[in-house]
Amino acid sequence: DYTKAIGVNLQSVIPYANISRPGCFAYPDMLEVGNFPPQYNATQYAMDRTHFGAWCVVSAPLIIGYDVTDANITDRVWDILSNTEAIAVSQTWAGHSGALLDESDEQLSYIYPKHIQQEMKAANAKYGELYASESLEGVTLSAYQIWGKQLLNNSWAILMMNNDGSNSRDVTLEFSKVPGLASVVDVKVRSIWNKTDVGVYSTAYTAYNI
C-alpha cells in the first residue's frame, strides 16, 4: 500500500538522519515500485516515481521488490529504476544521508485497504505484535513534505512530495530551509526525472500542480 510505504516506512528513517551513514544506512524496507495498485486519483507511475525518489533521497538500500519476470511491470517502471541521476543521489556520500527539510501543518488521514489491515493483524498474531508501535487501521501524514540530501559542491537533491492522493497542489521550497543555500544569490534548479535544467532562482522554487 502506497500510503503505508510513505506514511510509515519512509517516516521511520527521520530519527536516524544524523547517524545514518555508509555501512549503516537506515532501512525503510525494500522497494515496492511496480507493486502499488491504483489508489485515489494518483497514477501508478506517479506513486512509483515518488517512492523511488524518496528511497534515493534518504540513501535507503535500493532492493527491487516486484516480480522481475513480469515484463509488463518492468516496461512500466524501468525508466524510473534505471534513472542514473536518481541512482547517483542514492549513491553519493557528502556527509549526510538525507532528511526531512519541511512539511505542511495540514494533516491527511488514510485508511488502509482491508487486505493490508488483515495482513498486519495476521503478522501480529504470527510474530507477536510486529506492528505494535503503529496503527493497524491507517496512517496520518503531512499534506506535503520536502526531503533533501546534501551532495557534492554544495549541491542538494530535493524531493517535493504531494501526499494528497485526491488533489494536485503547488509546493514551494524556500531555500532558507536548505542548509547552506540561504545566502546563495542564484540557485540553479535541475529536474532529475526529466534530466533537464529548469532555471535559476533566488529565494524559492515552486513546483506547480504536482
Side-chain angles (χ1 to χ4, degrees), residues 16-186:
Y16 308 107
N18 292 326
I19 61 174
S20 183
R21 60 192 60 253
C24 187
F25 283 115
Y27 180 53
D29 213 340
M30 66 196 306
L31 289 166
E32 294 291 349
V33 173
N35 292 332
F36 297 126
Q39 292 180 262
Y40 305 98
N41 291 332
T43 65
Q44 286 178 293
Y45 188 81
M47 291 188 291
D48 285 333
R49 195 170 73 169
T50 302
H51 172 41
F52 187 69
W55 264 231
C56 287
V57 85
V58 298
S59 305
L62 302 178
I63 303 173
I64 294 175
Y66 77 91
D67 180 0
V68 295
T69 66
D70 190 320
N72 290 327
I73 296 179
T74 298
D75 287 344
R76 176 164 59 85
V77 304
W78 189 246
D79 69 310
I80 298 172
L81 294 176
S82 63
N83 186 304
T84 54
E85 294 192 23
I87 294 171
V89 169
S90 166
Q91 299 300 301
T92 297
W93 176 253
H96 202 283
S97 62
L100 179 64
L101 300 179
D102 194 17
E103 61 184 331
S104 66
D105 293 328
E106 178 187 359
Q107 299 287 299
L108 302 173
S109 295
Y110 293 98
I111 302 300
Y112 294 145
K114 290 296 183 182
H115 73 278
I116 296 295
Q117 296 182 19
Q118 292 169 357
E119 288 174 4
M120 294 174 69
K121 291 175 182 177
N124 272 352
K126 183 175 181 179
Y127 299 109
E129 299 302 317
L130 181 65
Y131 297 103
S133 62
E134 62 184 89
S135 169
L136 302 183
E137 305 301 324
V139 66
T140 298
L141 69 162
S142 301
Y144 74 80
Q145 291 184 319
I146 300 176
W147 295 74
K149 178 182 177 180
Q150 186 176 11
L151 304 178
L152 302 174
N153 301 317
N154 199 35
S155 62
W156 280 75
I158 300 293
L159 177 68
M160 305 169 77
M161 296 173 52
N162 173 19
N163 292 326
D164 187 342
S166 300
N167 302 285
S168 60
R169 67 176 63 223
D170 301 340
V171 178
T172 297
L173 168 68
E174 302 287 344
F175 296 147
S176 61
K177 299 290 182 68
V178 183
L181 292 190
S183 59
V184 177
V185 176
D186 295 321

